[in-house]
């Protein structure tokens, strides 16, 4: 049995620059390709040798277990080091860890994805899943917000999803110059005009906590109950397996009970800051 505390060496096979500060790394096990199973919403601990370890969601397709994909924004020591990797470099991986988006429970319902910034990365596997199993779901809606047009993640893919007849995509930015023809404003503003059934929708939300807070308010105003809303919580982590207590909030451990929670189960701790 693999010890969950010991990183497995993976080799970087491809680095894609997504935005000025954001990169996608493709990884394969150092000892040859073998399947890596995960569920949409789960994360890995990525260990940059000699620097440290951070939780990063898996942003690739769960149906393609041959390559492990992570999309990382450089914000500090470890994430900067990870985004500095090149093809052929090695990285340590522990995981997959944590809970997943409720793809099975959502079958038969409209699926609404509301996301901002790098939050689109942890939701991309859920998008791939819905598109690959499109008949199992009702209306499919993706609402995405970025700071500026230059900060729109996976822009080409968003355009591809928008061009599908069975998917509604609406994008907004906080601020833009005259070259931008699209929406300006925060992502919760897109919710009132999206066509879905509030009583039969499963809503998946990931982004900065302030964005998630206003998104939930807008969803509630639309009549979506807290038991139909799922959020991914970001908290600093150390062990990722419920040992160290670093991510603990009352009875909940974000690393193993989350990061994906049904909102009514964490309403009380949602706005509690890191301890
Ligand atoms: C379950 C989970 C999934 C994540 N998925 C992704 C992802 O797909 N892509 C991505 O780019 N980032 C993701 N993150 C955030 C990522 O883990 C942090 O950005 C990273 O830990 C920062 O570490 P650092 O050493 O680079 O920066 P530090 O120097 O440690 O911190 C820089 C800044 O980031 C904040 N920060 C540090 N750790 C975290 C954290 N775990 N969560 C939130 N803020 C943090 C600090 O408070 C500080 O403001 C995820 C976090 C969690 C908990
Ligand atoms: S990170 Fe150690 S208990 Fe969650």
């Amino acid at each position: 049995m693999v010890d969950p505390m010991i990183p497995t060496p993976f080799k970087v096979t491809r680095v894609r620059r997504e935005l000025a500060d954001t990169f996608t790394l493709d990884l394969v096990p150092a000892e040859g390709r073998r399947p890596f199973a995960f569920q949409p919403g789960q994360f890995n601990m990525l260990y940059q040798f000699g620097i440290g370890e951070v939780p990063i969601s898996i942003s690739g397709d769960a149906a393609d277990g041959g390559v492990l994909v992570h999309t990382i924004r450089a914000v500090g020591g470890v994430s900067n080091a990870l985004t500095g990797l090149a093809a052929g470099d090695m990285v340590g991986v522990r995981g997959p860890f944590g809970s997943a988006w409720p793809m099975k429970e959502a079958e038969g319902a409209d699926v609404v994805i509301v996301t901002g910034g790098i939050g689109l990365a942890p939701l991309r596997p859920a998008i791939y899943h819905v598109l690959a199993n499109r008949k199992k779901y009702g209306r499919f809606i993706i609402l995405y917000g970025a700071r500026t047009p230059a900060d729109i993640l996976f822009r080409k893919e968003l355009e591809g999803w928008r061009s599908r007849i069975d998917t509604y995509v609406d994008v907004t930015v906080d601020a833009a110059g005259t070259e931008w023809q699209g929406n300006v404003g925060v992502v919760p503003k897109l919710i009132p005009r999206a066509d879905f059934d509030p009583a039969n929708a499963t809503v998946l939300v990931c982004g900065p906590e302030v964005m998630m807070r206003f998104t939930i308010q807008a969803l509630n105003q639309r009549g979506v109950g807290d038991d139909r809303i799922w959020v991914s919580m970001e908290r600093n982590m150390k062990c990722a397996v419920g040992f160290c207590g670093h991510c603990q909030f009352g009875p909940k451990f974000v690393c193993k009970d989350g990061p994906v929670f049904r909102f009514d189960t964490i309403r009380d701790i949602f706005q509690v800051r890191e301890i």
Side-chain angles (χ1 to χ4, degrees), residues 103-164:
M103 305 320 298
K104 190 77 194 155
E105 294 96 310
E107 288 181 7
D110 293 349
V111 176
V112 182
I113 283 177
V114 191
T115 174
I118 188 81
L120 184 54
L123 275 162
R124 193 166 67 159
I127 295 172
Y128 290 150
H129 181 90
V130 172
L131 294 177
N133 298 274
R134 192 61 195 85
K135 288 201 173 72
K136 292 186 181 169
Y137 300 94
R139 279 165 284 200
F140 186 34
I141 286 153
I142 301 169
L143 308 179
Y144 176 64
R147 278 174 302 192
T148 72
D151 296 309
I152 297 175
L153 187 62
F154 307 141
R155 193 172 187 151
K156 278 218 168 75
E157 275 191 293
L158 279 164
E159 281 163 13
W161 299 329
R162 196 208 300 267
S163 69
R164 290 175 63 119

Short mmCIF file of all heavy atoms in Angstrom, two decimals, residues 103-164:
data_model
loop_
_atom_site.label_atom_id
_atom_site.label_comp_id
_atom_site.label_asym_id
_atom_site.label_seq_id
_atom_site.Cartn_x
_atom_site.Cartn_y
_atom_site.Cartn_z
N MET A 103 -21.21 14.75 -9.12
CA MET A 103 -21.62 14.51 -10.51
C MET A 103 -22.73 13.47 -10.61
O MET A 103 -23.62 13.57 -11.45
CB MET A 103 -20.41 14.10 -11.37
CG MET A 103 -19.23 15.07 -11.33
SD MET A 103 -19.64 16.82 -11.36
CE MET A 103 -20.46 16.99 -12.93
N LYS A 104 -22.69 12.48 -9.74
CA LYS A 104 -23.72 11.42 -9.78
C LYS A 104 -25.06 12.00 -9.30
O LYS A 104 -26.09 11.83 -9.96
CB LYS A 104 -23.25 10.26 -8.89
CG LYS A 104 -24.07 9.02 -9.02
CD LYS A 104 -23.75 8.25 -10.29
CE LYS A 104 -24.83 7.21 -10.56
NZ LYS A 104 -24.91 6.88 -12.00
N GLU A 105 -25.02 12.68 -8.15
CA GLU A 105 -26.26 13.25 -7.59
C GLU A 105 -26.89 14.25 -8.54
O GLU A 105 -28.10 14.45 -8.52
CB GLU A 105 -25.97 13.98 -6.26
CG GLU A 105 -25.51 13.08 -5.13
CD GLU A 105 -24.00 13.05 -5.02
OE1 GLU A 105 -23.32 12.82 -6.04
OE2 GLU A 105 -23.50 13.23 -3.91
N ALA A 106 -26.07 14.90 -9.36
CA ALA A 106 -26.58 15.96 -10.24
C ALA A 106 -27.29 15.41 -11.48
O ALA A 106 -27.92 16.17 -12.22
CB ALA A 106 -25.43 16.88 -10.67
N GLU A 107 -27.19 14.11 -11.69
CA GLU A 107 -27.81 13.56 -12.91
C GLU A 107 -29.31 13.85 -12.91
O GLU A 107 -29.97 13.73 -11.87
CB GLU A 107 -27.53 12.05 -12.99
CG GLU A 107 -26.09 11.78 -13.35
CD GLU A 107 -25.76 10.28 -13.47
OE1 GLU A 107 -26.68 9.45 -13.41
OE2 GLU A 107 -24.56 9.98 -13.62
N GLY A 108 -29.83 14.25 -14.03
CA GLY A 108 -31.25 14.57 -14.15
C GLY A 108 -31.56 16.03 -13.85
O GLY A 108 -32.64 16.52 -14.18
N ALA A 109 -30.61 16.74 -13.25
CA ALA A 109 -30.84 18.15 -12.90
C ALA A 109 -30.12 19.07 -13.89
O ALA A 109 -29.22 18.64 -14.62
CB ALA A 109 -30.31 18.41 -11.49
N ASP A 110 -30.53 20.35 -13.88
CA ASP A 110 -29.72 21.35 -14.57
C ASP A 110 -28.41 21.50 -13.79
O ASP A 110 -28.41 21.41 -12.55
CB ASP A 110 -30.45 22.71 -14.57
CG ASP A 110 -31.72 22.69 -15.42
OD1 ASP A 110 -31.92 21.72 -16.17
OD2 ASP A 110 -32.49 23.65 -15.32
N VAL A 111 -27.33 21.71 -14.49
CA VAL A 111 -26.04 21.93 -13.81
C VAL A 111 -25.58 23.35 -14.11
O VAL A 111 -25.49 23.75 -15.27
CB VAL A 111 -24.97 20.92 -14.28
CG1 VAL A 111 -23.62 21.22 -13.63
CG2 VAL A 111 -25.40 19.50 -13.94
N VAL A 112 -25.33 24.10 -13.03
CA VAL A 112 -24.90 25.48 -13.17
C VAL A 112 -23.54 25.62 -12.51
O VAL A 112 -23.36 25.27 -11.34
CB VAL A 112 -25.90 26.45 -12.50
CG1 VAL A 112 -25.47 27.89 -12.71
CG2 VAL A 112 -27.31 26.23 -13.03
N ILE A 113 -22.57 26.10 -13.28
CA ILE A 113 -21.22 26.31 -12.75
C ILE A 113 -20.99 27.80 -12.65
O ILE A 113 -21.20 28.54 -13.63
CB ILE A 113 -20.21 25.61 -13.67
CG1 ILE A 113 -20.26 24.10 -13.36
CG2 ILE A 113 -18.80 26.18 -13.51
CD1 ILE A 113 -19.40 23.23 -14.20
N VAL A 114 -20.63 28.25 -11.45
CA VAL A 114 -20.35 29.68 -11.25
C VAL A 114 -18.93 29.78 -10.72
O VAL A 114 -18.62 29.24 -9.64
CB VAL A 114 -21.34 30.35 -10.28
CG1 VAL A 114 -21.17 31.86 -10.32
CG2 VAL A 114 -22.78 29.96 -10.57
N THR A 115 -18.08 30.47 -11.44
CA THR A 115 -16.67 30.44 -11.05
C THR A 115 -15.96 31.74 -11.41
O THR A 115 -16.38 32.48 -12.30
CB THR A 115 -15.98 29.20 -11.69
OG1 THR A 115 -14.60 29.25 -11.41
CG2 THR A 115 -16.17 29.14 -13.18
N GLY A 116 -14.86 31.97 -10.68
CA GLY A 116 -14.09 33.18 -10.94
C GLY A 116 -12.61 32.89 -10.88
O GLY A 116 -12.15 32.05 -10.10
N GLY A 117 -11.86 33.57 -11.73
CA GLY A 117 -10.40 33.49 -11.70
C GLY A 117 -9.89 32.07 -11.90
O GLY A 117 -10.37 31.32 -12.74
N ILE A 118 -8.92 31.69 -11.06
CA ILE A 118 -8.30 30.36 -11.13
C ILE A 118 -9.31 29.28 -10.72
O ILE A 118 -9.08 28.08 -10.96
CB ILE A 118 -7.03 30.32 -10.24
CG1 ILE A 118 -6.21 29.04 -10.42
CG2 ILE A 118 -7.34 30.52 -8.79
CD1 ILE A 118 -5.32 29.03 -11.61
N GLY A 119 -10.45 29.67 -10.14
CA GLY A 119 -11.50 28.72 -9.73
C GLY A 119 -12.03 27.88 -10.88
O GLY A 119 -12.64 26.84 -10.66
N LEU A 120 -11.81 28.31 -12.11
CA LEU A 120 -12.25 27.51 -13.25
C LEU A 120 -11.43 26.21 -13.36
O LEU A 120 -11.93 25.21 -13.88
CB LEU A 120 -12.12 28.33 -14.54
CG LEU A 120 -12.61 27.72 -15.84
CD1 LEU A 120 -14.05 27.25 -15.76
CD2 LEU A 120 -12.46 28.73 -16.99
N ALA A 121 -10.20 26.22 -12.84
CA ALA A 121 -9.34 25.03 -12.96
C ALA A 121 -9.92 23.83 -12.20
O ALA A 121 -10.05 22.75 -12.77
CB ALA A 121 -7.92 25.35 -12.50
N PRO A 122 -10.30 23.99 -10.91
CA PRO A 122 -10.87 22.84 -10.20
C PRO A 122 -12.22 22.39 -10.77
O PRO A 122 -12.66 21.28 -10.50
CB PRO A 122 -11.07 23.37 -8.77
CG PRO A 122 -10.19 24.57 -8.67
CD PRO A 122 -10.08 25.14 -10.03
N LEU A 123 -12.88 23.27 -11.54
CA LEU A 123 -14.18 22.90 -12.11
C LEU A 123 -14.06 22.30 -13.51
O LEU A 123 -15.02 21.73 -14.02
CB LEU A 123 -15.10 24.12 -12.14
CG LEU A 123 -15.83 24.32 -10.81
CD1 LEU A 123 -16.37 25.72 -10.67
CD2 LEU A 123 -16.96 23.30 -10.66
N ARG A 124 -12.90 22.44 -14.14
CA ARG A 124 -12.79 21.96 -15.51
C ARG A 124 -13.05 20.45 -15.62
O ARG A 124 -13.75 20.02 -16.55
CB ARG A 124 -11.43 22.34 -16.11
CG ARG A 124 -11.41 22.13 -17.63
CD ARG A 124 -10.24 22.79 -18.29
NE ARG A 124 -8.97 22.17 -17.90
CZ ARG A 124 -7.84 22.27 -18.62
NH1 ARG A 124 -7.83 22.97 -19.74
NH2 ARG A 124 -6.73 21.70 -18.20
N PRO A 125 -12.58 19.60 -14.67
CA PRO A 125 -12.92 18.18 -14.78
C PRO A 125 -14.43 17.93 -14.71
O PRO A 125 -14.94 17.00 -15.36
CB PRO A 125 -12.19 17.55 -13.58
CG PRO A 125 -11.08 18.50 -13.26
CD PRO A 125 -11.62 19.86 -13.56
N ALA A 126 -15.16 18.75 -13.93
CA ALA A 126 -16.62 18.59 -13.86
C ALA A 126 -17.25 18.98 -15.20
O ALA A 126 -18.20 18.33 -15.66
CB ALA A 126 -17.19 19.46 -12.73
N ILE A 127 -16.71 20.01 -15.85
CA ILE A 127 -17.22 20.42 -17.16
C ILE A 127 -16.99 19.29 -18.17
O ILE A 127 -17.90 18.91 -18.92
CB ILE A 127 -16.55 21.73 -17.61
CG1 ILE A 127 -16.95 22.86 -16.67
CG2 ILE A 127 -16.92 22.06 -19.08
CD1 ILE A 127 -16.21 24.18 -16.89
N TYR A 128 -15.77 18.73 -18.18
CA TYR A 128 -15.49 17.62 -19.10
C TYR A 128 -16.47 16.47 -18.85
O TYR A 128 -16.95 15.83 -19.78
CB TYR A 128 -14.06 17.10 -18.90
CG TYR A 128 -12.96 18.02 -19.36
CD1 TYR A 128 -11.72 18.01 -18.73
CD2 TYR A 128 -13.13 18.89 -20.45
CE1 TYR A 128 -10.69 18.85 -19.16
CE2 TYR A 128 -12.11 19.71 -20.87
CZ TYR A 128 -10.89 19.69 -20.22
OH TYR A 128 -9.87 20.50 -20.63
N HIS A 129 -16.74 16.21 -17.57
CA HIS A 129 -17.63 15.09 -17.24
C HIS A 129 -19.04 15.33 -17.78
O HIS A 129 -19.64 14.44 -18.38
CB HIS A 129 -17.66 14.87 -15.72
CG HIS A 129 -18.53 13.73 -15.32
ND1 HIS A 129 -18.06 12.44 -15.21
CD2 HIS A 129 -19.87 13.66 -15.06
CE1 HIS A 129 -19.05 11.63 -14.88
NE2 HIS A 129 -20.17 12.35 -14.78
N VAL A 130 -19.58 16.53 -17.55
CA VAL A 130 -20.94 16.81 -18.04
C VAL A 130 -20.97 16.71 -19.56
O VAL A 130 -21.88 16.10 -20.14
CB VAL A 130 -21.42 18.22 -17.58
CG1 VAL A 130 -22.75 18.58 -18.25
CG2 VAL A 130 -21.57 18.26 -16.07
N LEU A 131 -19.97 17.28 -20.23
CA LEU A 131 -19.98 17.27 -21.70
C LEU A 131 -19.86 15.85 -22.25
O LEU A 131 -20.45 15.53 -23.28
CB LEU A 131 -18.87 18.16 -22.26
CG LEU A 131 -19.05 19.67 -21.96
CD1 LEU A 131 -17.87 20.46 -22.49
CD2 LEU A 131 -20.36 20.20 -22.54
N ALA A 132 -19.12 14.99 -21.54
CA ALA A 132 -18.97 13.60 -22.01
C ALA A 132 -20.20 12.76 -21.70
O ALA A 132 -20.35 11.67 -22.25
CB ALA A 132 -17.73 12.97 -21.36
N ASN A 133 -21.04 13.25 -20.79
CA ASN A 133 -22.24 12.50 -20.39
C ASN A 133 -23.46 13.42 -20.53
O ASN A 133 -24.34 13.46 -19.67
CB ASN A 133 -22.12 12.04 -18.93
CG ASN A 133 -20.95 11.10 -18.73
OD1 ASN A 133 -21.07 9.91 -18.93
ND2 ASN A 133 -19.79 11.65 -18.37
N ARG A 134 -23.48 14.17 -21.61
CA ARG A 134 -24.41 15.30 -21.74
C ARG A 134 -25.88 14.91 -21.56
O ARG A 134 -26.66 15.67 -20.98
CB ARG A 134 -24.18 15.96 -23.11
CG ARG A 134 -24.84 17.30 -23.29
CD ARG A 134 -24.34 18.31 -22.29
NE ARG A 134 -25.21 19.48 -22.23
CZ ARG A 134 -26.30 19.54 -21.49
NH1 ARG A 134 -26.69 18.53 -20.73
NH2 ARG A 134 -27.04 20.63 -21.47
N LYS A 135 -26.25 13.72 -22.02
CA LYS A 135 -27.67 13.32 -21.98
C LYS A 135 -28.16 13.08 -20.55
O LYS A 135 -29.35 13.05 -20.29
CB LYS A 135 -27.88 12.04 -22.81
CG LYS A 135 -27.77 12.28 -24.30
CD LYS A 135 -28.46 11.16 -25.07
CE LYS A 135 -28.54 11.44 -26.55
NZ LYS A 135 -27.25 11.33 -27.22
N LYS A 136 -27.23 12.87 -19.63
CA LYS A 136 -27.64 12.57 -18.24
C LYS A 136 -28.02 13.83 -17.47
O LYS A 136 -28.48 13.75 -16.33
CB LYS A 136 -26.48 11.89 -17.49
CG LYS A 136 -26.18 10.49 -18.01
CD LYS A 136 -25.14 9.84 -17.13
CE LYS A 136 -24.82 8.45 -17.64
NZ LYS A 136 -23.64 7.89 -16.99
N TYR A 137 -27.76 15.00 -18.05
CA TYR A 137 -28.00 16.25 -17.32
C TYR A 137 -29.01 17.13 -18.08
O TYR A 137 -29.21 16.95 -19.29
CB TYR A 137 -26.68 17.01 -17.13
CG TYR A 137 -25.67 16.20 -16.33
CD1 TYR A 137 -24.72 15.41 -16.98
CD2 TYR A 137 -25.71 16.16 -14.94
CE1 TYR A 137 -23.82 14.63 -16.26
CE2 TYR A 137 -24.81 15.39 -14.21
CZ TYR A 137 -23.87 14.63 -14.87
OH TYR A 137 -22.99 13.86 -14.15
N GLY A 138 -29.62 18.06 -17.36
CA GLY A 138 -30.55 19.00 -17.99
C GLY A 138 -29.77 20.14 -18.64
O GLY A 138 -28.75 19.92 -19.30
N ARG A 139 -30.25 21.36 -18.42
CA ARG A 139 -29.52 22.50 -19.00
C ARG A 139 -28.12 22.61 -18.36
O ARG A 139 -27.97 22.30 -17.17
CB ARG A 139 -30.32 23.79 -18.76
CG ARG A 139 -31.44 23.96 -19.77
CD ARG A 139 -32.43 24.99 -19.33
NE ARG A 139 -33.30 24.44 -18.29
CZ ARG A 139 -34.48 24.94 -17.95
NH1 ARG A 139 -34.95 26.00 -18.57
NH2 ARG A 139 -35.21 24.37 -17.01
N PHE A 140 -27.16 23.06 -19.17
CA PHE A 140 -25.78 23.17 -18.66
C PHE A 140 -25.31 24.61 -18.85
O PHE A 140 -25.27 25.12 -19.98
CB PHE A 140 -24.86 22.19 -19.39
CG PHE A 140 -23.46 22.16 -18.82
CD1 PHE A 140 -23.23 22.34 -17.47
CD2 PHE A 140 -22.36 21.93 -19.65
CE1 PHE A 140 -21.94 22.30 -16.93
CE2 PHE A 140 -21.07 21.90 -19.14
CZ PHE A 140 -20.87 22.09 -17.78
N ILE A 141 -24.99 25.22 -17.71
CA ILE A 141 -24.69 26.65 -17.71
C ILE A 141 -23.34 26.91 -17.05
O ILE A 141 -23.08 26.40 -15.94
CB ILE A 141 -25.82 27.39 -16.97
CG1 ILE A 141 -27.04 27.40 -17.91
CG2 ILE A 141 -25.45 28.80 -16.58
CD1 ILE A 141 -28.33 27.48 -17.26
N ILE A 142 -22.48 27.65 -17.72
CA ILE A 142 -21.18 28.01 -17.15
C ILE A 142 -21.10 29.53 -17.07
O ILE A 142 -21.18 30.21 -18.10
CB ILE A 142 -20.03 27.47 -18.03
CG1 ILE A 142 -20.11 25.95 -18.19
CG2 ILE A 142 -18.66 27.89 -17.46
CD1 ILE A 142 -19.18 25.38 -19.26
N LEU A 143 -20.96 30.06 -15.86
CA LEU A 143 -20.84 31.50 -15.66
C LEU A 143 -19.44 31.75 -15.10
O LEU A 143 -19.06 31.17 -14.06
CB LEU A 143 -21.91 32.00 -14.68
CG LEU A 143 -23.36 31.60 -15.01
CD1 LEU A 143 -24.32 32.12 -13.94
CD2 LEU A 143 -23.76 32.10 -16.39
N TYR A 144 -18.68 32.61 -15.77
CA TYR A 144 -17.27 32.78 -15.38
C TYR A 144 -16.92 34.27 -15.31
O TYR A 144 -17.30 35.05 -16.20
CB TYR A 144 -16.36 32.08 -16.40
CG TYR A 144 -14.88 32.29 -16.12
CD1 TYR A 144 -14.31 31.79 -14.95
CD2 TYR A 144 -14.07 33.00 -17.00
CE1 TYR A 144 -12.96 31.99 -14.68
CE2 TYR A 144 -12.72 33.19 -16.74
CZ TYR A 144 -12.17 32.69 -15.57
OH TYR A 144 -10.84 32.89 -15.29
N GLY A 145 -16.18 34.64 -14.28
CA GLY A 145 -15.73 36.02 -14.14
C GLY A 145 -14.22 36.10 -13.98
O GLY A 145 -13.62 35.26 -13.30
N ALA A 146 -13.62 37.09 -14.63
CA ALA A 146 -12.18 37.33 -14.48
C ALA A 146 -11.97 38.82 -14.19
O ALA A 146 -12.87 39.62 -14.40
CB ALA A 146 -11.44 36.91 -15.75
N ARG A 147 -10.76 39.15 -13.74
CA ARG A 147 -10.50 40.56 -13.41
C ARG A 147 -10.53 41.44 -14.66
O ARG A 147 -11.18 42.47 -14.70
CB ARG A 147 -9.15 40.69 -12.70
CG ARG A 147 -9.24 40.39 -11.21
CD ARG A 147 -7.87 40.40 -10.58
NE ARG A 147 -7.00 39.42 -11.24
CZ ARG A 147 -5.84 39.01 -10.79
NH1 ARG A 147 -5.36 39.51 -9.68
NH2 ARG A 147 -5.12 38.12 -11.44
N THR A 148 -9.80 41.00 -15.68
CA THR A 148 -9.74 41.75 -16.95
C THR A 148 -9.78 40.73 -18.08
O THR A 148 -9.59 39.54 -17.85
CB THR A 148 -8.42 42.55 -17.08
OG1 THR A 148 -7.35 41.60 -17.31
CG2 THR A 148 -8.11 43.38 -15.84
N PRO A 149 -9.97 41.16 -19.34
CA PRO A 149 -9.96 40.20 -20.44
C PRO A 149 -8.65 39.39 -20.50
O PRO A 149 -8.67 38.21 -20.85
CB PRO A 149 -10.12 41.09 -21.68
CG PRO A 149 -10.89 42.27 -21.18
CD PRO A 149 -10.39 42.51 -19.78
N ALA A 150 -7.53 40.00 -20.10
CA ALA A 150 -6.25 39.28 -20.14
C ALA A 150 -6.16 38.20 -19.07
O ALA A 150 -5.26 37.36 -19.11
CB ALA A 150 -5.10 40.28 -19.96
N ASP A 151 -7.09 38.21 -18.10
CA ASP A 151 -7.07 37.22 -17.02
C ASP A 151 -8.05 36.07 -17.26
O ASP A 151 -8.26 35.25 -16.36
CB ASP A 151 -7.43 37.90 -15.69
CG ASP A 151 -6.40 38.93 -15.28
OD1 ASP A 151 -5.22 38.58 -15.28
OD2 ASP A 151 -6.78 40.08 -14.99
N ILE A 152 -8.65 36.01 -18.43
CA ILE A 152 -9.62 34.93 -18.69
C ILE A 152 -8.88 33.61 -18.93
O ILE A 152 -8.12 33.48 -19.90
CB ILE A 152 -10.52 35.27 -19.90
CG1 ILE A 152 -11.35 36.52 -19.59
CG2 ILE A 152 -11.44 34.09 -20.24
CD1 ILE A 152 -12.17 37.02 -20.75
N LEU A 153 -9.11 32.68 -18.02
CA LEU A 153 -8.43 31.38 -18.08
C LEU A 153 -9.14 30.47 -19.10
O LEU A 153 -10.36 30.55 -19.24
CB LEU A 153 -8.48 30.75 -16.69
CG LEU A 153 -7.70 29.46 -16.43
CD1 LEU A 153 -6.20 29.67 -16.62
CD2 LEU A 153 -7.98 28.96 -15.01
N PHE A 154 -8.38 29.60 -19.75
CA PHE A 154 -8.94 28.63 -20.72
C PHE A 154 -9.87 29.32 -21.72
O PHE A 154 -10.97 28.84 -22.00
CB PHE A 154 -9.70 27.51 -19.98
CG PHE A 154 -8.92 26.80 -18.90
CD1 PHE A 154 -9.55 26.42 -17.71
CD2 PHE A 154 -7.57 26.51 -19.05
CE1 PHE A 154 -8.85 25.76 -16.71
CE2 PHE A 154 -6.86 25.85 -18.05
CZ PHE A 154 -7.51 25.48 -16.87
N ARG A 155 -9.43 30.45 -22.25
CA ARG A 155 -10.30 31.27 -23.10
C ARG A 155 -10.79 30.52 -24.34
O ARG A 155 -11.98 30.57 -24.67
CB ARG A 155 -9.51 32.52 -23.52
CG ARG A 155 -10.37 33.57 -24.12
CD ARG A 155 -9.57 34.83 -24.33
NE ARG A 155 -10.44 35.89 -24.75
CZ ARG A 155 -10.23 37.17 -24.51
NH1 ARG A 155 -9.17 37.55 -23.85
NH2 ARG A 155 -11.07 38.08 -24.94
N LYS A 156 -9.86 29.81 -24.98
CA LYS A 156 -10.24 29.07 -26.20
C LYS A 156 -11.28 27.99 -25.88
O LYS A 156 -12.23 27.77 -26.63
CB LYS A 156 -9.00 28.40 -26.82
CG LYS A 156 -8.19 29.31 -27.68
CD LYS A 156 -7.67 28.53 -28.91
CE LYS A 156 -7.08 29.45 -29.96
NZ LYS A 156 -5.75 29.96 -29.57
N GLU A 157 -11.05 27.30 -24.75
CA GLU A 157 -12.02 26.26 -24.38
C GLU A 157 -13.37 26.86 -24.05
O GLU A 157 -14.41 26.32 -24.43
CB GLU A 157 -11.50 25.49 -23.16
CG GLU A 157 -10.56 24.37 -23.53
CD GLU A 157 -10.28 23.46 -22.35
OE1 GLU A 157 -9.62 23.93 -21.40
OE2 GLU A 157 -10.68 22.30 -22.38
N LEU A 158 -13.38 28.00 -23.35
CA LEU A 158 -14.65 28.67 -23.05
C LEU A 158 -15.39 28.98 -24.35
O LEU A 158 -16.60 28.79 -24.46
CB LEU A 158 -14.41 29.96 -22.27
CG LEU A 158 -14.16 29.82 -20.77
CD1 LEU A 158 -13.55 31.09 -20.20
CD2 LEU A 158 -15.46 29.49 -20.02
N GLU A 159 -14.63 29.45 -25.36
CA GLU A 159 -15.27 29.77 -26.65
C GLU A 159 -15.82 28.50 -27.30
O GLU A 159 -16.91 28.51 -27.86
CB GLU A 159 -14.27 30.46 -27.58
CG GLU A 159 -14.10 31.93 -27.22
CD GLU A 159 -12.85 32.56 -27.82
OE1 GLU A 159 -12.22 31.94 -28.71
OE2 GLU A 159 -12.49 33.68 -27.39
N GLY A 160 -15.06 27.41 -27.18
CA GLY A 160 -15.53 26.13 -27.73
C GLY A 160 -16.81 25.66 -27.04
O GLY A 160 -17.76 25.22 -27.69
N TRP A 161 -16.84 25.77 -25.71
CA TRP A 161 -18.04 25.35 -24.98
C TRP A 161 -19.22 26.26 -25.34
O TRP A 161 -20.33 25.81 -25.48
CB TRP A 161 -17.79 25.39 -23.46
CG TRP A 161 -16.69 24.47 -23.01
CD1 TRP A 161 -16.33 23.28 -23.58
CD2 TRP A 161 -15.79 24.66 -21.91
NE1 TRP A 161 -15.27 22.73 -22.89
CE2 TRP A 161 -14.92 23.54 -21.87
CE3 TRP A 161 -15.63 25.66 -20.93
CZ2 TRP A 161 -13.92 23.40 -20.91
CZ3 TRP A 161 -14.64 25.53 -19.97
CH2 TRP A 161 -13.79 24.41 -19.96
N ARG A 162 -18.93 27.55 -25.50
CA ARG A 162 -20.00 28.51 -25.84
C ARG A 162 -20.61 28.18 -27.21
O ARG A 162 -21.80 28.41 -27.45
CB ARG A 162 -19.43 29.93 -25.86
CG ARG A 162 -20.52 31.01 -25.82
CD ARG A 162 -20.07 32.28 -26.50
NE ARG A 162 -18.90 32.88 -25.88
CZ ARG A 162 -18.94 33.82 -24.93
NH1 ARG A 162 -20.08 34.25 -24.50
NH2 ARG A 162 -17.82 34.29 -24.45
N SER A 163 -19.79 27.65 -28.11
CA SER A 163 -20.29 27.40 -29.47
C SER A 163 -21.18 26.14 -29.52
O SER A 163 -21.81 25.88 -30.54
CB SER A 163 -19.12 27.25 -30.44
OG SER A 163 -18.45 26.05 -30.15
N ARG A 164 -21.24 25.40 -28.45
CA ARG A 164 -22.10 24.19 -28.45
C ARG A 164 -23.55 24.59 -28.24
O ARG A 164 -23.85 25.48 -27.43
CB ARG A 164 -21.69 23.26 -27.31
CG ARG A 164 -20.35 22.57 -27.50
CD ARG A 164 -20.00 21.78 -26.27
NE ARG A 164 -20.97 20.72 -26.03
CZ ARG A 164 -20.65 19.42 -26.01
NH1 ARG A 164 -19.41 19.03 -26.19
NH2 ARG A 164 -21.58 18.53 -25.78
#
